[in-house]
Amino acid sequence: MTILTPDQARAGSMTIEEAGNATYWRALQLEGSLTALMCRQSSSFEEWQSMFNSMTETRPWMHLPSEEKPYGDLYSWLGAKFKIGDAPMTRKHLVAIVDAYHPGSGRQTVTNFEKKLDQPYVAVGQRGGNNNPAGRKGKNQSYPDNVDSQSDARRGTSADYLMTRLAHMGVDCQAEIGDGKRFATPTEAARHYGILKTRNRYEVSPSVNLDNAAQRIIEVLGQDKAAELVTRLTHHLAQ
């Protein structure tokens, strides 16, 4: 597990809306998302197309490693930040990855992506748009790790979301998650690293074994709270 910089940690805690489009913060998010996408064995061609679209809009290499001294072009960024085996990632690798998900389309897909990059790029600050580098939450916005929120489909407990969050934390997803590895699923890894909270809960139904239910309630609540519950139950039953 690698150590995140403060900026990487901040970017990982932001929503997409908070990071804005074509910003340094969104660039950091996409760098983590691409790491997660490359680690996942269940990626799809559609997900890679979506990643290309996001990179066309933000162009991480124009913001990273810093706004003052960016990589400047796609393959300088890929080569510096991503490895295929022990080798820096190149255009040839990118074509081969796309071919793996949609055989025969890799070269054309990458070429189309590159043609889009030939269009003039306007970073945020030179145009209108959302730019909230402090990552402050607006009214009625929930935090990314509020997995109960249904207001944003890009959050939740899906494998995609969890793998992206894990990558932002510096977890080596490819080495740690999968059959025979430290964690069998992204959910297990997310619980271990604190992205998902393990909830101590007990569900009851009319057919429940009352002795088991009583013991479980004591385990969950503790003796003092369980005793208080008995008092309150007695009070409600007497009404």
Side-chain angles (χ1 to χ4, degrees), residues 76-102:
S76 293
W77 171 61
L78 291 179
K81 299 300 296 185
F82 301 94
K83 302 287 186 183
I84 304 297
D86 294 326
M89 187 173 178
T90 64
R91 184 182 193 275
K92 181 179 179 180
H93 292 129
L94 190 59
V95 169
I97 289 171
V98 176
D99 266 333
Y101 295 104
H102 199 284

PDB file of all heavy atoms in Angstrom, residues 76-102:
ATOM      1  N   SER A  76       3.497  10.961 -21.941  1.00  0.00           N
ATOM      2  CA  SER A  76       4.456  11.285 -20.878  1.00  0.00           C
ATOM      3  C   SER A  76       3.840  10.982 -19.515  1.00  0.00           C
ATOM      4  O   SER A  76       4.498  10.447 -18.617  1.00  0.00           O
ATOM      5  CB  SER A  76       4.859  12.760 -20.960  1.00  0.00           C
ATOM      6  OG  SER A  76       5.605  13.013 -22.125  1.00  0.00           O
ATOM      7  N   TRP A  77       2.562  11.335 -19.379  1.00  0.00           N
ATOM      8  CA  TRP A  77       1.839  11.059 -18.130  1.00  0.00           C
ATOM      9  C   TRP A  77       1.679   9.555 -17.906  1.00  0.00           C
ATOM     10  O   TRP A  77       1.981   9.054 -16.814  1.00  0.00           O
ATOM     11  CB  TRP A  77       0.484  11.750 -18.185  1.00  0.00           C
ATOM     12  CG  TRP A  77      -0.460  11.404 -17.071  1.00  0.00           C
ATOM     13  CD1 TRP A  77      -0.278  11.618 -15.727  1.00  0.00           C
ATOM     14  CD2 TRP A  77      -1.752  10.803 -17.200  1.00  0.00           C
ATOM     15  NE1 TRP A  77      -1.371  11.180 -15.027  1.00  0.00           N
ATOM     16  CE2 TRP A  77      -2.298  10.687 -15.906  1.00  0.00           C
ATOM     17  CE3 TRP A  77      -2.506  10.369 -18.281  1.00  0.00           C
ATOM     18  CZ2 TRP A  77      -3.566  10.138 -15.666  1.00  0.00           C
ATOM     19  CZ3 TRP A  77      -3.767   9.836 -18.052  1.00  0.00           C
ATOM     20  CH2 TRP A  77      -4.280   9.726 -16.758  1.00  0.00           C
ATOM     21  N   LEU A  78       1.210   8.840 -18.921  1.00  0.00           N
ATOM     22  CA  LEU A  78       1.011   7.398 -18.777  1.00  0.00           C
ATOM     23  C   LEU A  78       2.325   6.693 -18.453  1.00  0.00           C
ATOM     24  O   LEU A  78       2.376   5.813 -17.585  1.00  0.00           O
ATOM     25  CB  LEU A  78       0.412   6.815 -20.062  1.00  0.00           C
ATOM     26  CG  LEU A  78      -1.032   7.203 -20.391  1.00  0.00           C
ATOM     27  CD1 LEU A  78      -1.461   6.561 -21.710  1.00  0.00           C
ATOM     28  CD2 LEU A  78      -1.984   6.805 -19.268  1.00  0.00           C
ATOM     29  N   GLY A  79       3.388   7.074 -19.122  1.00  0.00           N
ATOM     30  CA  GLY A  79       4.679   6.434 -18.894  1.00  0.00           C
ATOM     31  C   GLY A  79       5.232   6.696 -17.511  1.00  0.00           C
ATOM     32  O   GLY A  79       5.905   5.844 -16.925  1.00  0.00           O
ATOM     33  N   ALA A  80       4.952   7.889 -16.976  1.00  0.00           N
ATOM     34  CA  ALA A  80       5.472   8.251 -15.660  1.00  0.00           C
ATOM     35  C   ALA A  80       4.682   7.618 -14.527  1.00  0.00           C
ATOM     36  O   ALA A  80       5.243   7.288 -13.478  1.00  0.00           O
ATOM     37  CB  ALA A  80       5.467   9.768 -15.505  1.00  0.00           C
ATOM     38  N   LYS A  81       3.376   7.403 -14.738  1.00  0.00           N
ATOM     39  CA  LYS A  81       2.511   6.975 -13.627  1.00  0.00           C
ATOM     40  C   LYS A  81       2.048   5.532 -13.694  1.00  0.00           C
ATOM     41  O   LYS A  81       1.607   4.983 -12.690  1.00  0.00           O
ATOM     42  CB  LYS A  81       1.277   7.885 -13.567  1.00  0.00           C
ATOM     43  CG  LYS A  81       1.582   9.362 -13.317  1.00  0.00           C
ATOM     44  CD  LYS A  81       2.308   9.570 -12.004  1.00  0.00           C
ATOM     45  CE  LYS A  81       1.460   9.162 -10.799  1.00  0.00           C
ATOM     46  NZ  LYS A  81       2.133   9.480  -9.528  1.00  0.00           N
ATOM     47  N   PHE A  82       2.140   4.889 -14.843  1.00  0.00           N
ATOM     48  CA  PHE A  82       1.577   3.546 -14.985  1.00  0.00           C
ATOM     49  C   PHE A  82       2.607   2.587 -15.588  1.00  0.00           C
ATOM     50  O   PHE A  82       3.351   2.943 -16.491  1.00  0.00           O
ATOM     51  CB  PHE A  82       0.319   3.585 -15.866  1.00  0.00           C
ATOM     52  CG  PHE A  82      -0.761   4.486 -15.322  1.00  0.00           C
ATOM     53  CD1 PHE A  82      -0.850   5.806 -15.749  1.00  0.00           C
ATOM     54  CD2 PHE A  82      -1.660   4.029 -14.369  1.00  0.00           C
ATOM     55  CE1 PHE A  82      -1.823   6.649 -15.242  1.00  0.00           C
ATOM     56  CE2 PHE A  82      -2.637   4.868 -13.856  1.00  0.00           C
ATOM     57  CZ  PHE A  82      -2.717   6.183 -14.286  1.00  0.00           C
ATOM     58  N   LYS A  83       2.601   1.375 -15.055  1.00  0.00           N
ATOM     59  CA  LYS A  83       3.520   0.328 -15.514  1.00  0.00           C
ATOM     60  C   LYS A  83       2.734  -0.861 -16.060  1.00  0.00           C
ATOM     61  O   LYS A  83       1.694  -1.243 -15.519  1.00  0.00           O
ATOM     62  CB  LYS A  83       4.409  -0.157 -14.366  1.00  0.00           C
ATOM     63  CG  LYS A  83       5.243   0.934 -13.692  1.00  0.00           C
ATOM     64  CD  LYS A  83       6.385   1.379 -14.579  1.00  0.00           C
ATOM     65  CE  LYS A  83       7.286   2.362 -13.840  1.00  0.00           C
ATOM     66  NZ  LYS A  83       8.377   2.860 -14.703  1.00  0.00           N
ATOM     67  N   ILE A  84       3.235  -1.429 -17.123  1.00  0.00           N
ATOM     68  CA  ILE A  84       2.729  -2.695 -17.642  1.00  0.00           C
ATOM     69  C   ILE A  84       3.863  -3.692 -17.452  1.00  0.00           C
ATOM     70  O   ILE A  84       4.857  -3.669 -18.178  1.00  0.00           O
ATOM     71  CB  ILE A  84       2.326  -2.609 -19.121  1.00  0.00           C
ATOM     72  CG1 ILE A  84       1.302  -1.490 -19.330  1.00  0.00           C
ATOM     73  CG2 ILE A  84       1.787  -3.947 -19.595  1.00  0.00           C
ATOM     74  CD1 ILE A  84      -0.008  -1.697 -18.599  1.00  0.00           C
ATOM     75  N   GLY A  85       3.738  -4.529 -16.431  1.00  0.00           N
ATOM     76  CA  GLY A  85       4.886  -5.319 -16.006  1.00  0.00           C
ATOM     77  C   GLY A  85       5.883  -4.367 -15.364  1.00  0.00           C
ATOM     78  O   GLY A  85       5.547  -3.627 -14.453  1.00  0.00           O
ATOM     79  N   ASP A  86       7.086  -4.360 -15.862  1.00  0.00           N
ATOM     80  CA  ASP A  86       8.102  -3.428 -15.367  1.00  0.00           C
ATOM     81  C   ASP A  86       8.327  -2.252 -16.314  1.00  0.00           C
ATOM     82  O   ASP A  86       9.178  -1.392 -16.055  1.00  0.00           O
ATOM     83  CB  ASP A  86       9.440  -4.169 -15.161  1.00  0.00           C
ATOM     84  CG  ASP A  86       9.348  -5.196 -14.048  1.00  0.00           C
ATOM     85  OD1 ASP A  86       8.617  -4.940 -13.083  1.00  0.00           O
ATOM     86  OD2 ASP A  86      10.011  -6.245 -14.160  1.00  0.00           O
ATOM     87  N   ALA A  87       7.566  -2.218 -17.407  1.00  0.00           N
ATOM     88  CA  ALA A  87       7.797  -1.198 -18.436  1.00  0.00           C
ATOM     89  C   ALA A  87       6.808  -0.050 -18.313  1.00  0.00           C
ATOM     90  O   ALA A  87       5.641  -0.252 -17.983  1.00  0.00           O
ATOM     91  CB  ALA A  87       7.678  -1.825 -19.818  1.00  0.00           C
ATOM     92  N   PRO A  88       7.259   1.176 -18.584  1.00  0.00           N
ATOM     93  CA  PRO A  88       6.339   2.311 -18.592  1.00  0.00           C
ATOM     94  C   PRO A  88       5.253   2.103 -19.639  1.00  0.00           C
ATOM     95  O   PRO A  88       5.507   1.556 -20.718  1.00  0.00           O
ATOM     96  CB  PRO A  88       7.242   3.492 -18.961  1.00  0.00           C
ATOM     97  CG  PRO A  88       8.616   3.054 -18.607  1.00  0.00           C
ATOM     98  CD  PRO A  88       8.649   1.579 -18.864  1.00  0.00           C
ATOM     99  N   MET A  89       4.059   2.532 -19.360  1.00  0.00           N
ATOM    100  CA  MET A  89       2.940   2.353 -20.277  1.00  0.00           C
ATOM    101  C   MET A  89       3.127   3.218 -21.518  1.00  0.00           C
ATOM    102  O   MET A  89       3.507   4.386 -21.430  1.00  0.00           O
ATOM    103  CB  MET A  89       1.630   2.719 -19.580  1.00  0.00           C
ATOM    104  CG  MET A  89       0.388   2.398 -20.390  1.00  0.00           C
ATOM    105  SD  MET A  89      -1.100   2.659 -19.412  1.00  0.00           S
ATOM    106  CE  MET A  89      -2.355   2.269 -20.628  1.00  0.00           C
ATOM    107  N   THR A  90       2.846   2.629 -22.687  1.00  0.00           N
ATOM    108  CA  THR A  90       2.995   3.326 -23.963  1.00  0.00           C
ATOM    109  C   THR A  90       1.698   3.245 -24.771  1.00  0.00           C
ATOM    110  O   THR A  90       0.720   2.607 -24.351  1.00  0.00           O
ATOM    111  CB  THR A  90       4.121   2.699 -24.796  1.00  0.00           C
ATOM    112  OG1 THR A  90       3.729   1.335 -25.126  1.00  0.00           O
ATOM    113  CG2 THR A  90       5.440   2.666 -24.027  1.00  0.00           C
ATOM    114  N   ARG A  91       1.706   3.866 -25.931  1.00  0.00           N
ATOM    115  CA  ARG A  91       0.550   3.785 -26.824  1.00  0.00           C
ATOM    116  C   ARG A  91       0.258   2.337 -27.211  1.00  0.00           C
ATOM    117  O   ARG A  91      -0.896   1.916 -27.285  1.00  0.00           O
ATOM    118  CB  ARG A  91       0.804   4.614 -28.079  1.00  0.00           C
ATOM    119  CG  ARG A  91      -0.384   4.676 -29.033  1.00  0.00           C
ATOM    120  CD  ARG A  91      -0.054   5.469 -30.297  1.00  0.00           C
ATOM    121  NE  ARG A  91      -1.255   5.794 -31.052  1.00  0.00           N
ATOM    122  CZ  ARG A  91      -1.841   4.981 -31.936  1.00  0.00           C
ATOM    123  NH1 ARG A  91      -1.320   3.769 -32.184  1.00  0.00           N
ATOM    124  NH2 ARG A  91      -2.936   5.371 -32.577  1.00  0.00           N
ATOM    125  N   LYS A  92       1.301   1.568 -27.464  1.00  0.00           N
ATOM    126  CA  LYS A  92       1.137   0.163 -27.826  1.00  0.00           C
ATOM    127  C   LYS A  92       0.387  -0.592 -26.737  1.00  0.00           C
ATOM    128  O   LYS A  92      -0.490  -1.411 -27.023  1.00  0.00           O
ATOM    129  CB  LYS A  92       2.513  -0.475 -28.065  1.00  0.00           C
ATOM    130  CG  LYS A  92       2.455  -1.938 -28.480  1.00  0.00           C
ATOM    131  CD  LYS A  92       3.862  -2.483 -28.727  1.00  0.00           C
ATOM    132  CE  LYS A  92       3.811  -3.957 -29.118  1.00  0.00           C
ATOM    133  NZ  LYS A  92       5.182  -4.489 -29.355  1.00  0.00           N
ATOM    134  N   HIS A  93       0.715  -0.320 -25.481  1.00  0.00           N
ATOM    135  CA  HIS A  93       0.020  -0.968 -24.370  1.00  0.00           C
ATOM    136  C   HIS A  93      -1.449  -0.560 -24.341  1.00  0.00           C
ATOM    137  O   HIS A  93      -2.341  -1.386 -24.107  1.00  0.00           O
ATOM    138  CB  HIS A  93       0.677  -0.585 -23.036  1.00  0.00           C
ATOM    139  CG  HIS A  93       2.054  -1.136 -22.863  1.00  0.00           C
ATOM    140  ND1 HIS A  93       3.125  -0.357 -22.496  1.00  0.00           N
ATOM    141  CD2 HIS A  93       2.544  -2.393 -23.006  1.00  0.00           C
ATOM    142  CE1 HIS A  93       4.211  -1.103 -22.410  1.00  0.00           C
ATOM    143  NE2 HIS A  93       3.887  -2.348 -22.728  1.00  0.00           N
ATOM    144  N   LEU A  94      -1.710   0.730 -24.556  1.00  0.00           N
ATOM    145  CA  LEU A  94      -3.085   1.223 -24.517  1.00  0.00           C
ATOM    146  C   LEU A  94      -3.928   0.560 -25.602  1.00  0.00           C
ATOM    147  O   LEU A  94      -5.063   0.142 -25.351  1.00  0.00           O
ATOM    148  CB  LEU A  94      -3.085   2.742 -24.689  1.00  0.00           C
ATOM    149  CG  LEU A  94      -4.409   3.466 -24.434  1.00  0.00           C
ATOM    150  CD1 LEU A  94      -4.902   3.215 -23.022  1.00  0.00           C
ATOM    151  CD2 LEU A  94      -4.244   4.968 -24.679  1.00  0.00           C
ATOM    152  N   VAL A  95      -3.374   0.427 -26.789  1.00  0.00           N
ATOM    153  CA  VAL A  95      -4.079  -0.243 -27.885  1.00  0.00           C
ATOM    154  C   VAL A  95      -4.367  -1.700 -27.512  1.00  0.00           C
ATOM    155  O   VAL A  95      -5.479  -2.209 -27.730  1.00  0.00           O
ATOM    156  CB  VAL A  95      -3.250  -0.177 -29.183  1.00  0.00           C
ATOM    157  CG1 VAL A  95      -3.847  -1.098 -30.261  1.00  0.00           C
ATOM    158  CG2 VAL A  95      -3.181   1.251 -29.691  1.00  0.00           C
ATOM    159  N   ALA A  96      -3.385  -2.377 -26.928  1.00  0.00           N
ATOM    160  CA  ALA A  96      -3.554  -3.789 -26.561  1.00  0.00           C
ATOM    161  C   ALA A  96      -4.623  -3.958 -25.483  1.00  0.00           C
ATOM    162  O   ALA A  96      -5.395  -4.935 -25.510  1.00  0.00           O
ATOM    163  CB  ALA A  96      -2.216  -4.354 -26.073  1.00  0.00           C
ATOM    164  N   ILE A  97      -4.687  -3.024 -24.531  1.00  0.00           N
ATOM    165  CA  ILE A  97      -5.699  -3.107 -23.474  1.00  0.00           C
ATOM    166  C   ILE A  97      -7.096  -2.993 -24.072  1.00  0.00           C
ATOM    167  O   ILE A  97      -7.994  -3.779 -23.751  1.00  0.00           O
ATOM    168  CB  ILE A  97      -5.471  -2.004 -22.420  1.00  0.00           C
ATOM    169  CG1 ILE A  97      -4.223  -2.311 -21.596  1.00  0.00           C
ATOM    170  CG2 ILE A  97      -6.683  -1.880 -21.496  1.00  0.00           C
ATOM    171  CD1 ILE A  97      -3.796  -1.187 -20.669  1.00  0.00           C
ATOM    172  N   VAL A  98      -7.299  -2.015 -24.962  1.00  0.00           N
ATOM    173  CA  VAL A  98      -8.616  -1.846 -25.586  1.00  0.00           C
ATOM    174  C   VAL A  98      -8.962  -3.069 -26.428  1.00  0.00           C
ATOM    175  O   VAL A  98     -10.099  -3.550 -26.421  1.00  0.00           O
ATOM    176  CB  VAL A  98      -8.649  -0.570 -26.435  1.00  0.00           C
ATOM    177  CG1 VAL A  98      -9.986  -0.448 -27.166  1.00  0.00           C
ATOM    178  CG2 VAL A  98      -8.420   0.661 -25.557  1.00  0.00           C
ATOM    179  N   ASP A  99      -7.987  -3.604 -27.145  1.00  0.00           N
ATOM    180  CA  ASP A  99      -8.210  -4.810 -27.957  1.00  0.00           C
ATOM    181  C   ASP A  99      -8.674  -5.991 -27.100  1.00  0.00           C
ATOM    182  O   ASP A  99      -9.450  -6.834 -27.560  1.00  0.00           O
ATOM    183  CB  ASP A  99      -6.928  -5.205 -28.693  1.00  0.00           C
ATOM    184  CG  ASP A  99      -6.867  -4.627 -30.100  1.00  0.00           C
ATOM    185  OD1 ASP A  99      -7.950  -4.379 -30.677  1.00  0.00           O
ATOM    186  OD2 ASP A  99      -5.762  -4.421 -30.614  1.00  0.00           O
ATOM    187  N   ALA A 100      -8.190  -6.050 -25.880  1.00  0.00           N
ATOM    188  CA  ALA A 100      -8.563  -7.159 -24.997  1.00  0.00           C
ATOM    189  C   ALA A 100     -10.057  -7.144 -24.676  1.00  0.00           C
ATOM    190  O   ALA A 100     -10.667  -8.199 -24.459  1.00  0.00           O
ATOM    191  CB  ALA A 100      -7.750  -7.087 -23.698  1.00  0.00           C
ATOM    192  N   TYR A 101     -10.664  -5.959 -24.646  1.00  0.00           N
ATOM    193  CA  TYR A 101     -12.083  -5.846 -24.319  1.00  0.00           C
ATOM    194  C   TYR A 101     -12.970  -5.757 -25.554  1.00  0.00           C
ATOM    195  O   TYR A 101     -14.159  -6.068 -25.481  1.00  0.00           O
ATOM    196  CB  TYR A 101     -12.311  -4.610 -23.430  1.00  0.00           C
ATOM    197  CG  TYR A 101     -11.641  -4.743 -22.089  1.00  0.00           C
ATOM    198  CD1 TYR A 101     -10.456  -4.066 -21.798  1.00  0.00           C
ATOM    199  CD2 TYR A 101     -12.165  -5.570 -21.106  1.00  0.00           C
ATOM    200  CE1 TYR A 101      -9.824  -4.206 -20.577  1.00  0.00           C
ATOM    201  CE2 TYR A 101     -11.545  -5.714 -19.875  1.00  0.00           C
ATOM    202  CZ  TYR A 101     -10.379  -5.039 -19.618  1.00  0.00           C
ATOM    203  OH  TYR A 101      -9.746  -5.184 -18.410  1.00  0.00           O
ATOM    204  N   HIS A 102     -12.395  -5.316 -26.682  1.00  0.00           N
ATOM    205  CA  HIS A 102     -13.155  -5.231 -27.921  1.00  0.00           C
ATOM    206  C   HIS A 102     -12.186  -5.557 -29.058  1.00  0.00           C
ATOM    207  O   HIS A 102     -11.626  -4.655 -29.696  1.00  0.00           O
ATOM    208  CB  HIS A 102     -13.735  -3.822 -28.088  1.00  0.00           C
ATOM    209  CG  HIS A 102     -14.866  -3.748 -29.053  1.00  0.00           C
ATOM    210  ND1 HIS A 102     -14.687  -3.790 -30.424  1.00  0.00           N
ATOM    211  CD2 HIS A 102     -16.210  -3.636 -28.847  1.00  0.00           C
ATOM    212  CE1 HIS A 102     -15.849  -3.694 -31.025  1.00  0.00           C
ATOM    213  NE2 HIS A 102     -16.802  -3.601 -30.090  1.00  0.00           N
TER     214      HIS A 102
END
